[in-house]
Structures are given as structure tokens and as C-alpha cells.
């Protein structure tokens, strides 16, 4: 089969470029450990109330790290609001009680699908004080567009003091 | 050397009239196209109002305003997605493929009666789905994920659509086999090559969604089962979902590769590489669907990475196409007098709606294609999954490149079906350019709104929050929607005008080629081998994902819900 010379160069150039993109991505996952949601554990939606998710909310794990447990259901998140100090490292654990929902922190790097039967999880840090919105971004019925919660990141004395000490 | 070969037994070839159609062909192809247009009219006209509803400026000016006819936003959005993306496309593609196969092979379909059975299966399916959608009993969007459950007629209608297309595959493949028997050693015309690749791919892919519907959704809607597993359902759906988007794209490529060269008085640069592109799209459409599941909790990072790598591979045939079609357009531009190295880009037949629509589609495809590369990059996907960015991406690819190319086909094919010229070339040109401009504005606006965090599939007009960073772009995408509304109206007026009011004779013949390039390797037509490769890849790329999603200990534990009632089914 005849392949034109120019076209061969084009193909090689395209393949090399795509190969470089792909390598960069694999590096971002396996070397730099950019996290994608991946399997944590399963949970039977009927047994949420017998699990740690019976009392969702923020758990202080010490050292400015937190575990944040959320339950999503039509059409609200519980808790509806959490407060964190600036610079906190938070691991979210989120489950759905009924149908599929989303857990998307606007202008941040958390983006989870919440599927009944699965525990979704992501870890992130909040360096910038302010109010962040958690949005349900997966269609979940007529109340979908009202399904929001807030994260308030506070510029506390303690964290400013720590920062000063670090500098 | 072999002894004297018996002369191949040739079926009585049929010759097709110029500037017209055979009666049977007219009815068969015409019925598919008219039903496609009806489905499109349900879906298309809602799109711009969705864009208005999502624009803060519009909702501030008219706070009480609701979607026309279907005041419930998600009902309208379900109709928009299902009618445009599932029914319009499928009816169009089946009708177009029948036309291409018969004309290029110069022989009738293997079984015309079976073609009509398939048509009525799909048509009744359309009626059942429309019933459920219009009565607000299927406002579950075009992805219909469980545990949300719709009226049974919705699922029965979808099953009838899929079963119909399987009959189409059989019909086309057997027609091809007959041609092959009569033409040993010849190469099938490229348009038929692409069509076969498309239906083989589609038929493999639909197995996933058929299992999802037949074993989860339909029995649940009938009350026969009470639990499902949403992760498993999403795996089955997206086994089908990515080939679905190529099922839309390949017929557009058939037009670009085999019709555009004739429509621009140019010549295809390389027929064999066109085949390679179709073959690669067919094969590598399978091991990539997990790129829709990057944010899912039940799929491991390893499989997400594997599908990312294949996603980059499946970009190659589109770059091949860019080169090949670029060369077609370069020759066309030079023939029209272009001299400078890039002058041919401007020297195209911009006054011919059939050509202008396809080139406009390509312009949108460049933007849409690159946007896809960006969110296929799994780590960037975290910022973009389920945001308006995705809407921008598939409106520039599907509602841009694919739909403009389908419109281009309709602009020459509806006249052939009706036996009358296109009602208005000027309206068609205005339609093409308003679509191009509208979709560029819409695509840019939705893309930027997505980067700013605006979610998709959300009735922003009623939302409990506003995102000031996204507001400007949501407003600008509504302006794009206005262009698109005008364009859509121009399109339907022209279609109705051509079918009902035009009185000029047909001027443009079907751009069909009846020979294949003999230099292309025959192994490309060993469909059995390629099917085997697909099945192996499917096993390798999807087996682990499915095993991971299935819970062998507890089984399915998630009850079903009606979308508007937060109490599990069955109600006591
Ligand atoms: C008149 C031009 C069009 C406009 C202004 C338009 C507008 C929109 C908008 C604003 C959305 C997103 C709504 C949301 O996420 O809340 C949307 C979704 C969608 N559109 Fe279009 N659209 C147009 C044409 C088309 C065409 C021609 C097709 C396909 C053939 C199409 C297929 C889809 C699909 C599949 C969705 C996704 C639905 C979902 O998320 O469930 N659109 N459209
Ligand atoms: Cu939601
Ligand atoms: Cu895809």
C-alpha cells in the first residue's frame, strides 16, 4: 500500500505528539499521584444508618487533617455546611442514600460521581479562605438544581500563626 | 496457476436514474429521512430555549419565564437528547446507509421486506418513546441511568430501535456478501467500507445497552425486579456510549471522504488510508468508553489509564482524516485559482450550501476535537466532568460537524427524494452560516462557563445558586442559542418548502462512487478477523471493569426510584 511521504511525516508527528500527551498523563497519575476517584469500599444503601455515615459531618483527625463524611439524597447534602481552617487537608467520604448524585466543588479539584452502593472519596487541601460551594452535578430529579452545600474556609488565628512560624 | 475459472455469476445490476430515484428506493430512503426530520423537530427547537433558561441575564429580564410547551426543564432536556441524539441520528443514518450501499454497489438490498420490518420496528419504538416523553413519564435524560426509572414504553421503544438497527446490519452485510461473491478480488467502494465498519461497530456496542435495558431497566419498570447496581449499569451503558458517538461520526466521514471530493470537483487523496481510518475508528471505539467514567467511584485507576491510552490512539484516524480531507480541499482551492500556500483555505465554494455546510462542520470539528482531547486527559477531567464544558464539546462535534454534514446531505438528498430542486439555496446558505456562528458562540460560552464551574444538566433558571464567574459566558451562549434558533427555523422552512412547494427540477445528482481503489490491501476487508480483534479488545478492556463493578458478595442492592419521588419503589 502506498503512503505519501508527506502523509507519513504527518502520521509520525501526530503519533509522537499523542504519545507525549499520553506519557504526560500516565506520569501525572502514577508518578505525581494526581488522584482520580477509585474504589474505596461498597455500602448497601439500606445500611447507611448502621454505618459511620449515620452521623455525617466533619471529623478532626489532628494535625489540620480532617475526614468529612457526607450523605447525599434527593435533594440535599448532609451536612449542609462545614467549616474548615485555612490549609486543612480534607478527605471526603460521600455516599448516596437513593439515586445517583454528583459531588463537585466549584473552582476546586474535587469531582465525584455518587452512585448508590459505592463510597466515593477524594482528598484535597483548602489554601484559600472563602466560601466554596458543593454542587450536585448529576441530574437527580426535579430538585436537582437546588442541591448544594457549602464549605467555609476560615482564616483562623491559629493557621495564620502557624504560617508566620513557618516563614 | 489455476485452471479456467467459471465466470462470476453476476446479479442483474440495477442502474439508477440520474437526478432522480427508483420508486422503491424513494419510499424506503424517503421514509427514513422524513421520520428523522420529524424526530429532529421535536428535539432541535428546544435547544435554544435551554440555553436561554441557563442564562442569568435572560432569567433576570423574564423571571417568570418557563420552557415553551414543556414547562419542566428536564422533560424538555430529555426530549432534546433522546430525539436529537438517538432518533434523528439513527433514522438518518439508516436511510443514508441504505442509499449509499445500494447506489455504490449498484444492486438492490438483500431483502427489502426486512428493511421495512426494521423501519416499522424503529418507528413504533419512536412512538412509544415519544408517548413516555411527552407525558412526562420518561424525564430521565437520554442516558436513562438507573436507579431512576421511566415508564415501560420508554424502554420497549428503545429496544425496538436497537432491534431494528440489528436487522439493518444483517441486511447490509448480506447485501455486501452478495456483491463480494459477484466481484471476487475487487475492493468495495470506500463509502460502503465505512458503512459496514459503522454497523459492525454499532452492533457490537449495542449489546451492552441491550443487556442494561433487558436485564435491569425494563424488568424494573414492569415491577419484576426491585434492585439494580448503578455502577454496573454505567459500565454497560458506556460500553455502548462511545461507539454511539462514532456511529454518528462515521456517516459524516463517509460524506467527507467520498462525496465532498465530487462536490468540490476534487479527488480523494488516498482511498486506502481512508479505509485505515474507518477500520481504526471501528476497532478502537471499543476500549475507550471508561473515559466517561473518570469520576466514578467503582472503577480503578489502572483501567482508567488503560482507556486513556486507547483514547489517544483513537484520535489518530481523525488526524489521518484531517490530512486526507485537507488535501481534497487544497486541490479544490487550487483549481479555483488559489496561489499562496494557504490561499486554498479561503478559495472554497462558499456559495454552495452542500459544500459550505461540510466545511463549516469541519471548522467546528477542529474546535470540538481539541476540546475532547483536553477532557479525555484524565487529570484535567476532574475540573471538567459534568460541567457545561462537555456540552460545548459535543455541540461542536455532534451538533456541529455531524449535524451540519447531515444537513448537507439532506440539502441534496431531499430534492432527489421529492424530485424537485431545493426550495431555496439562499436560505440554506444563511442556515449554514448562522449555524456556524451560533455554534461557535455557543461552544465558546458553554466551554468557558464549564471551566468556571457551571454544571451541565441543570435548570439554572431555577437554581439555588449563581456563579458570577460563569454568568457572562452563560449569557453569551444564549446569544449563540439565538443564532441557532434562527438557523433551525430556516432549516425546517427549507425542508418543508422542498417537500411541499418547490417546483423547479432537481439540479444536483447523488455524489456516489461505484469503485474501490485496487491498491488498497484486501485484508482490510476481512471482517471476520477484525471482528475477532474487537471482541478480544472488548474482553481485555471491559472484562476487568465489569468484574470490578459487579458485587459478587452482596449482589444488587440499590432500589429503583421515580425521578420525582424520593421514596424507593415499589410503593407500599
Ligand atoms: C439549535 C441548536 C442547539 C442548541 C441551542 C442546543 C442547546 C443545548 C443545551 C443548552 C444543552 C445543555 C442543557 C443542560 O445541560 O442543562 C443541550 C444538551 C444536549 N444537546 Fe443540544 N442544542 C442544540 C442542538 C443539538 C443537536 C443538533 C443535537 C444532536 C443531534 C443536540 C444534542 C444534545 C444532547 C445529546 C444534549 C445532552 C442532554 C443531556 O445532558 O441529557 N443538541 N443542548
Ligand atoms: Cu442532582
Ligand atoms: Cu466517549
Amino acid at each position: 500500500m502506498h503512503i505519501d511521504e508527506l502523509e507519513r511525516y504527518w502520521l509520525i508527528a501526530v503519533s509522537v505528539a499523542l504519545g507525549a500527551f499520553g506519557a504526560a498523563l500516565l506520569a501525572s497519575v502514577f508518578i505525581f499521584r494526581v488522584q482520580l476517584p477509585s474504589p474505596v469500599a461498597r455500602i448497601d444503601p439500606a445500611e447507611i444508618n448502621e454505618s459511620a455515615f449515620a452521623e455525617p459531618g466533619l471529623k478532626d483527625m489532628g494535625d489540620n487533617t480532617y475526614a468529612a463524611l457526607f450523605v447525599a439524597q434527593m435533594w440535599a447534602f448532609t451536612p449542609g455546611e462545614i467549616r474548615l481552617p485555612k490549609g486543612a487537608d480534607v478527605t471526603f467520604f460521600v455516599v448516596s442514600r437513593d439515586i445517583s448524585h454528583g459531588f463537585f466543588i466549584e473552582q476546586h479539584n474535587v469531582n465525584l460521581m455518587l452512585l448508590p452502593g459505592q463510597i466515593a472519596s477524594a482528598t484535597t487541601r483548602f489554601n484559600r479562605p472563602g466560601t466554596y460551594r458543593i454542587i450536585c452535578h448529576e441530574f437527580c430529579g426535579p430538585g436537582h438544581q437546588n442541591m448544594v452545600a457549602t464549605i467555609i474556609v476560615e482564616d483562623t488565628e491559629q493557621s495564620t500563626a502557624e504560617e508566620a512560624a513557618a516563614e | 496457476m489455476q485452471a479456467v475459472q467459471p465466470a462470476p455469476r453476476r446479479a442483474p445490476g440495477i442502474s439508477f436514474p440520474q437526478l432522480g430515484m427508483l420508486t422503491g428506493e424513494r419510499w424506503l430512503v424517503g421514509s427514513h429521512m422524513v421520520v428523522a426530520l420529524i424526530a429532529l423537530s421535536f428535539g432541535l427547537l428546544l435547544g435554544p430555549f435551554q440555553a436561554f433558561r441557563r442564562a442569568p441575564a435572560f432569567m433576570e429580564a423574564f423571571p417568570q419565564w418557563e420552557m415553551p410547551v414543556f414547562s419542566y426543564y428536564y422533560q424538555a432536556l430529555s426530549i432534546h437528547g433522546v430525539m436529537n441524539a438517538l432518533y434523528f441520528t439513527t433514522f438518518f443514518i439508516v436511510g443514508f446507509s441504505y442509499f449509499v450501499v445500494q447506489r455504490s454497489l449498484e444492486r438492490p438490498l438483500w431483502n427489502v421486506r426486512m428493511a421495512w420490518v426494521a423501519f416499522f420496528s424503529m418507528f413504533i419504538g419512536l412512538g412509544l418513546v415519544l408517548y413516555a416523553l411527552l407525558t412526562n413519564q420518561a424525564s430521565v435524560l437520554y442516558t436513562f441511568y438507573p436507579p431512576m426509572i421511566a415508564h415501560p414504553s420508554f424502554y420497549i421503544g428503545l429496544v425496538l430501535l436497537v432491534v431494528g438497527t440489528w436487522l439493518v446490519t444483517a441486511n447490509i452485510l448480506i447485501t455486501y456478501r452478495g456483491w463480494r461473491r459477484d466481484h471476487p478480488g475487487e475492493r468495495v467502494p470506500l463509502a460502503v467500507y465505512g458503512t459496514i465498519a459503522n454497523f459492525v461497530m454499532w452492533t457490537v456496542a449495542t449489546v451492552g445497552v441491550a443487556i442494561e435495558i433487558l436485564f435491569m431497566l425494563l424488568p424494573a419498570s414492569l415491577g419484576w425486579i426491585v434492585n439494580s447496581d448503578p455502577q454496573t449499569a454505567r459500565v454497560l451503558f458506556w460500553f455502548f456510549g462511545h461507539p454511539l458517538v462514532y456511529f454518528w461520526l462515521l456517516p459524516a466521514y463517509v460524506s467527507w471522504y467520498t462525496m465532498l471530493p465530487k462536490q468540490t470537483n476534487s479527488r480523494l487523496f488516498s482511498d486506502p488510508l481512508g479505509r485505515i481510518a474507518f477500520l481504526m475508528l471501528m476497532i478502537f471505539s471499543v476500549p475507550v468508553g471508561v473515559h466517561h467514567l473518570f469520576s466514578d467511584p467503582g472503577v480503578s485507576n489502572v483501567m482508567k489509564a488503560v482507556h486513556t491510552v486507547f483514547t489517544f490512539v483513537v484520535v489518530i484516524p481523525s488526524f489521518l482524516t484531517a490530512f486526507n480531507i485537507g488535501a481534497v480541499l487544497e486541490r479544490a482551492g487550487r483549481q479555483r485559482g488559489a496561489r499562496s500556500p494557504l490561499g486554498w483555505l479561503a478559495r472554497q465554494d462558499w456559495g454552495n450550501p452542500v459544500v459550505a455546510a461540510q466545511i463549516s462542520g469541519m471548522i467546528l470539528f477542529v474546535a470540538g476535537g481539541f476540546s475532547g482531547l483536553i477532557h479525555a486527559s484524565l487529570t484535567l477531567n476532574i475540573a471538567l466532568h459534568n460541567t457545561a464544558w462537555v456540552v460545548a464539546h459535543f455541540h461542536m462535534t455532534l451538533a456541529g460537524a455531524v449535524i451540519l454534514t447531515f444537513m448537507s446531505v439532506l440539502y441534496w438528498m431531499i430534492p432527489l427524494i421529492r424530485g424537485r430542486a431545493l426550495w431555496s439555496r439562499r436560505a440554506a446558505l444563511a442556515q449554514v452560516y448562522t449555524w456556524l456562528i451560533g455554534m461557535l458562540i455557543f461552544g465558546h460560552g458553554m466551554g468557558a462557563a464549564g471551566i468556571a464551574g457551571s454544571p451541565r444538566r441543570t435548570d439554572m433558571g431555577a437554581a439555588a445558586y449563581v456563579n458570577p464567574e460563569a454568568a457572562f459566558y452563560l449569557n453569551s451562549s444564549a446569544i449563540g442559542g439565538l443564532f441557532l434558533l434562527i438557523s433551525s427555523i430556516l432549516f425546517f422552512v427549507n425542508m418543508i418548502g422542498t417537500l411541499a412547494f418547490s417546483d423547479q427540477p432537481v439540479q444536483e445528482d447523488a455524489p456516489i462512487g461505484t469503485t474501490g481503489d485496487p491498491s488498497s490491501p484486501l485484508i482490510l476487508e476481512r471482517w471476520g478477523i477484525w471482528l475477532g480483534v474487537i471482541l478480544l479488545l472488548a474482553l481485555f478492556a471491559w472484562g476487568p471493569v465489569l468484574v470490578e463493578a459487579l458485587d459478587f458478595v452482596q449482589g444488587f442492592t440499590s432500589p429503583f426510584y421515580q425521578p420525582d419521588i424520593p421514596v424507593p419503589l415499589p410503593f407500599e
Side-chain angles (χ1 to χ4, degrees), chain B residues 452-470:
Chain B
S454 182
R456 70 181 280 209
R457 301 186 141 177
T458 302
D459 182 6
M460 302 306 280
Y465 52 94
V466 282
N467 175 343
E469 280 89 353

Side-chain angles (χ1 to χ4, degrees), chain B residues 20-41:
Chain B
M21 280 191 175
L22 298 174
T23 313
E25 187 191 22
R26 163 169 297 144
W27 278 101
L28 186 64
V29 177
S31 304
H32 284 87
M33 292 301 167
V34 169
V35 173
L37 286 172
I38 293 171
L40 186 65
S41 68

Side-chain angles (χ1 to χ4, degrees), chain A residues 1 7 10 25 28 34-37 39 42 98 107 111 113 115-116 133 135 137-139 142 144-146 148, chain B residues 74 231 272-273 295-297 301 304 312 319 379 382 385-386 452 457-458 464-466 548-551 561 563:
Chain A
M1 191 178 78
E7 186 156 26
W10 166 259
L25 279 177
S28 72
V34 176
Q35 271 195 343
L36 286 180
R42 295 170 195 268
D98 40 41
Q107 291 165 11
N111 189 331
M113 294 296 302
L115 307 178
R133 251 194 308 266
I135 297 178
H137 67 5
E138 179 64 27
F139 171 62
H144 163 57
Q145 68 283 345
N146 300 326
V148 283
Chain B
Y74 302 107
Q231 184 69 73
L273 280 168
S295 291
D296 281 30
N301 271 348
K304 285 173 182 171
F312 281 89
F319 276 106
T379 42
I382 293 175
H385 172 75
N386 260 1
R457 301 186 141 177
T458 302
Y465 52 94
V466 282
E548 208 170 20
L550 285 169
D551 188 339
Y561 286 79

Side-chain angles (χ1 to χ4, degrees), chain B residues 418-570:
Chain B
R418 179 64 185 87
R420 294 272 182 271
L422 187 63
W423 184 63
S424 166
R425 267 173 79 98
R426 283 176 55 195
L429 272 181
Q431 186 272 319
V432 168
Y433 293 120
T434 43
W435 193 279
L436 173 62
I437 296 169
M439 211 46 101
L440 284 172
I441 301 175
F442 178 81
H444 170 263
M446 290 297 262
I451 293 174
S454 182
R456 70 181 280 209
R457 301 186 141 177
T458 302
D459 182 6
M460 302 306 280
Y465 52 94
V466 282
N467 175 343
E469 280 89 353
F472 175 82
Y473 299 111
L474 290 172
N475 291 336
S476 76
S477 64
I479 295 174
L482 192 61
F483 277 89
L484 290 162
L485 180 60
I486 296 168
S487 185
S488 307
I489 293 171
L490 282 171
F491 175 73
F492 284 116
V493 167
N494 214 349
M495 287 293 114
I496 295 170
T498 307
L499 286 168
F501 304 115
S502 168
D503 48 14
Q504 301 295 309
V506 183
Q507 287 147 355
E508 202 171 338
D509 210 359
I512 292 286
T514 54
T515 52
D517 183 337
S519 77
S520 71
L522 261 179
I523 186 161
L524 298 180
E525 282 182 56
R526 298 289 297 276
W527 297 104
I529 298 181
W530 304 122
L531 185 64
V533 172
I534 293 183
L535 296 179
L536 273 180
L537 269 178
L539 195 68
F540 161 71
W542 286 94
V545 182
L546 191 62
V547 168
E548 208 170 20
L550 285 169
D551 188 339
F552 295 102
V553 182
Q554 298 194 35
F556 292 173
T557 55
S558 298
F560 292 93
Y561 286 79
Q562 280 180 8
D564 48 350
I565 304 172
V567 178
L569 290 167

